[in-house]
Amino acid sequence: MNVLVTGGAGYIGSITVETLVARGHTVTVLDNLSTGHQGAVHADAAFVRADLRDAGVVGEVLEAGGIEAVIHLAAYSLVGESMREPIRYFGNNVVGTLTLLEVMVERGVKRLVLSSTAALFGTAECIPIPEDAPVRPASVYGETKYLIERVLHRLCETAGLGFVTLRYFNAAGASATYGEDHRPETHLIPVALQVALGLREGISIYGEDYDTSDGTCVRDYVHVLDLAEAHLLAVEGLRPGEARAYNLGNGAGFSVREVVEVCRRITGHPIPERVVARRPGDPPVLVADPSRIQRELGWTRRHAELEAIVRSAWDWHRAHPDGYRH
């Protein structure tokens, strides 16, 4: 299949492209490199550096690549930043996606896999969270993904678009070649590993008075290789006119302190911590119920243990202490 991966120079995108190429698909990456990296573009993928809101370029890419399906991962994704810069997030995430969808409909490309988010659910009442849990995004970022999902449903009804939304919980880990290099880095595991590498003095724990086993937030960490496999299964099984949504996670939660302790064991570094104020909008617990995608697509978590997730990330960060900088 000829597949376009928007945001294919990013963390999840690069490993998804790697998985697609290994399966024998022909991949084109479209990325403006605002958060992605040239060094994360797979050598066997065609690469176009462009903004998704440039409809002319998007149309040319779809035509030149004979694109049959799109995996859409191009989005700004920082919750706190989205609350400070809402117009920027609506512009990039929503307007960019509308441009992509308009061109896809015009060109007759009727398969889309969307990178969505657990941020749709806000503070969930039911843990683990099923796909039909109430959607109550507490951030602009979550709201942008909710709006996109609504548009997709309408296009499924009116234009025969087939789509799968993959609602990620916490992606973590690395492949042997590609890993996590955000600037600035805000995710717990790479931040802790940067401390172990001597790039930071310590980590901040945002609140220790939550109603959890040790007072810190509990999150569901899913290995990025398993996440990439879910994209592969979704795009291969998708048909025009279908609408599906899947929650992607481990199905088990780990507290912030549990994660940090695993990072200490794997790295052999003390990783100093300090407790600071809670972050607004942080729910106490976010854990996925991934049973639907397991049942319907046969998805399995091959790298479910937290130790394996952290070890893969540690191996990549030790080999790339400066990320994709050369």
Side-chain angles (χ1 to χ4, degrees):
M1 188 184 299
N2 295 325
V3 183
L4 172 64
V5 180
T6 69
Y11 170 43
I12 298 170
S14 62
I15 296 171
T16 297
V17 170
E18 183 181 31
T19 302
L20 290 165
V21 170
R23 184 65 165 245
H25 295 292
T26 300
V27 181
T28 300
V29 170
L30 188 149
D31 199 302
N32 66 8
L33 299 185
S34 62
T35 57
H37 308 280
Q38 180 81 52
V41 177
H42 196 286
D44 293 332
F47 175 58
V48 178
R49 182 173 183 176
D51 193 285
L52 200 58
R53 288 167 286 188
D54 189 333
V57 171
V58 174
E60 291 171 4
V61 169
L62 292 181
E63 185 170 346
I67 300 302
E68 301 164 83
V70 176
I71 298 178
H72 179 32
L73 300 107
Y76 297 145
S77 60
L78 299 180
V79 169
E81 183 181 72
S82 78
M83 301 300 284
R84 296 190 300 271
E85 303 181 51
I87 293 176
R88 179 168 171 260
Y89 268 67
F90 283 117
N92 183 77
N93 294 6
V94 179
V95 176
T97 302
L98 289 174
T99 302
L100 171 65
L101 292 172
E102 181 179 20
V103 177
M104 286 178 63
V105 170
E106 288 174 351
R107 304 279 174 152
V109 181
K110 294 191 174 183
R111 294 176 176 89
L112 178 85
V113 177
L114 173 70
S115 162
S116 193
T117 176
L120 291 172
F121 300 112
T123 300
E125 298 171 358
C126 178
I127 301 294
I129 303 171
E131 286 80 2
D132 58 359
V135 173
R136 291 190 289 252
S139 67
V140 169
Y141 168 59
E143 188 74 22
T144 65
K145 295 293 187 176
Y146 172 64
L147 291 173
I148 293 166
E149 288 201 14
R150 293 305 309 149
V151 170
L152 292 177
H153 279 284
R154 292 302 186 187
L155 289 179
C156 181
E157 296 169 358
T158 62
L161 178 73
F163 72 91
V164 176
T165 63
L166 299 178
R167 296 160 172 175
Y168 309 162
F169 280 61
N170 285 51
S175 74
T177 307
Y178 302 108
E180 194 167 5
D181 182 12
H182 298 115
R183 302 174 194 175
E185 186 57 75
T186 61
H187 293 166
L188 176 60
I189 290 174
V191 166
L193 298 181
Q194 286 177 354
V195 176
L197 287 169
L199 302 176
R200 295 173 183 254
E201 293 184 359
I203 64 165
S204 297
I205 293 180
Y206 295 95
E208 59 176 353
D209 57 351
Y210 288 94
D211 186 17
T212 61
S213 60
D214 62 15
T216 64
C217 287
V218 171
R219 294 293 181 265
D220 186 331
Y221 292 87
V222 57
H223 200 297
V224 67
L225 285 171
D226 291 335
L227 206 58
E229 180 72 15
H231 289 79
L232 176 69
L233 293 171
V235 77
E236 288 183 340
L238 183 58
R239 299 292 178 266
E242 292 182 339
R244 299 185 184 187
Y246 297 116
N247 290 355
L248 281 179
N250 233 332
F254 305 95
S255 75
V256 171
R257 283 213 164 101
E258 286 176 315
V259 173
V260 173
E261 187 56 39
V262 169
C263 290
R264 289 178 178 132
R265 290 203 305 270
I266 296 295
T267 65
H269 191 283
I271 308 181
E273 66 182 57
R274 67 187 182 100
V275 178
V276 297
R278 289 185 180 193
R279 292 180 297 197
D282 259 353
V285 180
L286 278 177
V287 177
D289 176 359
S291 59
R292 179 186 288 180
I293 190 170
Q294 292 170 331
R295 182 174 64 253
E296 294 186 2
L297 296 186
W299 181 66
T300 57
R301 293 159 294 157
R302 303 179 191 277
H303 314 275
E305 295 81 10
L306 182 59
E307 288 78 5
I309 292 171
V310 172
R311 188 172 298 282
S312 71
W314 178 232
D315 289 344
W316 190 85
H317 281 281
R318 280 191 300 173
H320 306 84
D322 295 320
Y324 289 104
R325 286 182 287 253
H326 294 290

